[in-house]
Amino acid sequence: MDQADKAGASGKGPALFGASLFGAFQLTAPDGREIPISNKRARAMIAMLCLAPDEPIDRDHLSKLLWPGRFEAQARASLRQCLLDLGKLLAAADCDLLNISRSRISLNSDAVETDVAILEKTLAQQQYVEATNQLRSIGAKPLLDQIYFGDEFRDWLDSRRRQTEQRLQTAVSEAFSILEKRDNLTNHADLFNAWRVRAPETKAINERKQGKARIAVLPFKSIANPDDHGFFADGVVDELITSLGQVPQLLVAGRTSSFQFKNSNKTPSEIAGALNVSHLLEGSVHRQGEQVRVAVGLVDANSGFESWTYSYDGSLDDMFAARTEVVQAVTNGLSDALKLKEHETKPRKLTSNREAYGLYLQGRALTIRAIGDGVLPTAIELLEKALEIDPEFAECWTALAEAEINMTVYTPCLDRLERCEKAAGYAKKALRLSPQQAHARIVLAFYAWTQNDIVGALDLAFEAYRLEPNNPDVLNRVGSFLLYCGRSRDALPYIEASIDQDPVNGRSYAILSGVHLNLGNIDAAIDAGQRMVDLGFPSMWLAAAIAVSGDNDAAVEAHQLTKKLMNTVIFPPAGSAPLDPDAMDAYWLMAAKGLWSGEDQDRKNYCMVLEMLHATLHDPYDTTITIPAIWMGQAQMVFKTLGQQITTANFFSFMSLWTDAEPINQVRLHPDFMDFAERIGMIAAWEKYGWPDLLPRPSTMT
């Protein structure tokens, strides 16, 4: 923001100097030039005064905060010298910034304007579009990042940070109330999304849910020709979920969970209970030859009665051409039935070619399924055929990008990096055709991780969240990325919100188990791990949580259960032949004992196997190496795998780095850990988005 903008926001003439408090502290002259302050304690002193401009600081207190551990006389002398040097620097810049007396130091607040003050004044003046833009620019940057002088200083700073953030929360909440009274839903949503990036507390997530009707769109029954496979019906449901998800007063269950109840015999109340919704949207697509009838009904979960219906009759060509209007008609009718305010929705950029659309629906269904012999190669083939017919089909480019990413994650392919790069290229094509896509940005975020651009990955994830804040997949990715960076506390509300909307998605519970394990909530970690197992997913994270609880025998048993749960979908590492059943059993038992028995010999045996795998596998960075290395605290193995090559298959291993329990924490506590973090781009991410919960910023970096 330039000085003219600052003047406009503040309602007075240009500030003599500007101070940036979000992120690393910076002092700027009226012309925008930075005033370099090389003395880190002098810089911290000005920053402290700018953060609490109405609070003079006692000189004795200041000397103790900035020179901890020194004798009192030495600390006072250091402060005097620091003030002398700082006074010369400010005088040279013609800046009358400090008021200094024998007992205390205060800020000449008329001489400087901070970015915090500008934001507060913008909100107070109800300039909400400008405030939203400011919050987007600020993002998740912590106040006065990169400053640390010991525990007492940290406590002082944390207290002022909380006061400042609380003032901002109050101002933003007041803005929400005003915008709601004005019925300005667009500005309300934009401001909320910008604020959520900064304030991921559970309270804000709960505010998002309050007053909203909770609904699930169930898979439509397809009464069709045998060769139809219900793809057209699934396409209608998919577009309805997208459209309804844009209605501010609705909270729509995620597709993954809704589709768990395809052809289910459960009652509406049972399904609604499992999905945590109050209403179900059911329907059918009856196709006979080229004629089609779409029937939709809204069911109240408590009574089981249908409270609203809609139908469409016509030819398949008519239905295909008019499907956007049909989806909009259902959205509007549903809004009327639930007494919601009208809201314009934006349809996705699909295709006008019926054949391309059919191929896309089939390919996307297989992409979402992901696991199974030949599933993803078939998906890619179908999507490529669709794009040959319509190369302007933006959503299909995104689906193809996701299919390529899934190939690198769920299959033992030998060309992970090449496929990931192709996926990024497809995602970029999708964004050129349809710039508002969230999922395409998530694909690019995956690619950024493989390039050690973790800052870029987080930027893309938060941008995707801004575009689709009610998308459970996007919520999951934002939370996951924060978790991988050690920001477990900030990750939790995103993951909980994702599960709240998509409660039957087993993969999310692995992330939730990891979050709770990192936060020391062992019982909650075990519960989340067990829920994951109940939904039919691997039990490795359950084993980790049980081991941390101290029950080694049960952890070994839980880890072995993974083989049974994964059954025939256990793929050997890329380039390796499958093991015979006896060898597979022996391997899983050895791995389970090596990880969780607590016996030194079991651990040594498994470490030797990991070394052998690293030396012989086609992919020496495979998850069969990286995850066990972290869980066993094998720091050097972690450094020479994840430290050399992050792939879309192994980067979720980072979630386990942040468990503060033996022996897992030995990687984080290793003296080479910071070099590793620097090399892979992790420190750059911490500097922008905040340092890990378990890793205080080293004072040498201030």
Side-chain angles (χ1 to χ4, degrees), residues 239-283:
E239 292 189 46
L240 275 171
I241 290 175
T242 299
S243 178
L244 294 171
Q246 298 177 51
V247 178
Q249 300 90 11
L250 281 180
L251 208 60
V252 184
R255 185 189 191 280
T256 302
S257 290
S258 291
F259 271 73
Q260 293 288 327
F261 296 95
K262 191 170 187 176
N263 301 320
S264 173
N265 293 322
K266 292 183 179 296
T267 66
S269 61
E270 288 173 332
I271 295 174
L275 296 177
N276 192 24
V277 298
S278 57
H279 294 80
L280 300 170
L281 191 68
E282 299 180 323

Side-chain angles (χ1 to χ4, degrees), residues 54-311:
D54 299 324
E55 294 184 29
I57 303 180
D58 182 85
R59 289 180 66 142
D60 287 344
H61 187 208
L62 187 60
S63 64
K64 291 176 182 177
L65 291 176
L66 295 180
W67 287 271
R70 294 192 183 182
F71 291 113
E72 189 173 324
Q74 289 179 319
R76 288 177 178 174
S78 297
L79 176 60
R80 285 195 297 272
Q81 185 60 50
C82 181
L83 287 170
L84 180 63
D85 295 340
L86 182 59
K88 293 177 181 178
L89 185 150
L90 295 176
D94 195 23
C95 178
D96 182 19
L97 196 62
L98 301 180
N99 298 317
I100 303 173
S101 71
R102 296 184 62 181
S103 60
R104 62 184 191 175
I105 302 167
S106 61
L107 184 73
N108 180 4
S109 57
D110 291 334
V112 65
E113 189 159 40
T114 70
D115 48 5
V116 171
I118 293 169
L119 176 58
E120 290 181 302
K121 290 173 184 176
T122 305
L123 288 165
Q125 294 172 0
Q126 301 182 17
Q127 299 177 12
Y128 297 134
V129 173
E130 175 62 20
T132 298
N133 291 334
Q134 290 173 19
L135 281 169
R136 286 174 180 168
S137 177
I138 292 165
K141 297 175 185 174
L143 285 161
L144 296 190
D145 200 14
Q146 305 181 34
I147 300 179
Y148 179 76
F149 295 101
D151 292 347
E152 191 172 351
F153 176 87
R154 182 197 59 207
D155 292 344
W156 182 94
L157 182 56
D158 284 348
S159 173
R160 271 49 179 196
R161 282 171 172 162
R162 286 193 296 270
Q163 292 173 12
T164 303
E165 296 286 6
Q166 185 57 54
R167 289 201 317 271
L168 291 174
Q169 174 70 70
T170 300
V172 170
S173 296
E174 184 176 346
F176 290 154
S177 298
I178 292 171
L179 289 169
E180 286 173 358
K181 290 176 182 177
R182 294 177 181 174
D183 204 19
N184 191 335
L185 298 178
T186 299
N187 284 357
H188 183 285
D190 288 344
L191 180 62
F192 180 86
N193 294 337
W195 177 246
R196 276 292 297 115
V197 172
R198 169 139 209 93
E201 293 85 359
T202 303
K203 178 183 176 184
I205 288 285
N206 289 335
E207 287 175 354
R208 181 173 66 87
K209 301 174 189 174
Q210 289 175 1
K212 293 193 176 188
R214 304 178 67 101
I215 187 170
V217 185
L218 297 183
F220 285 10
K221 295 178 181 178
S222 180
I223 308 169
N225 297 326
D227 60 347
D228 183 80
H229 301 298
F231 293 121
F232 185 78
D234 290 350
V236 174
V237 171
D238 215 34
E239 292 189 46
L240 275 171
I241 290 175
T242 299
S243 178
L244 294 171
Q246 298 177 51
V247 178
Q249 300 90 11
L250 281 180
L251 208 60
V252 184
R255 185 189 191 280
T256 302
S257 290
S258 291
F259 271 73
Q260 293 288 327
F261 296 95
K262 191 170 187 176
N263 301 320
S264 173
N265 293 322
K266 292 183 179 296
T267 66
S269 61
E270 288 173 332
I271 295 174
L275 296 177
N276 192 24
V277 298
S278 57
H279 294 80
L280 300 170
L281 191 68
E282 299 180 323
S284 64
V285 176
H286 189 168
R287 178 181 168 190
Q288 187 171 13
E290 288 299 301
Q291 292 302 116
V292 64
R293 174 181 175 82
V294 177
V296 182
L298 179 67
V299 177
D300 185 292
N302 291 324
S303 67
F305 291 122
E306 203 169 59
S307 59
W308 172 84
T309 61
Y310 170 86
S311 64

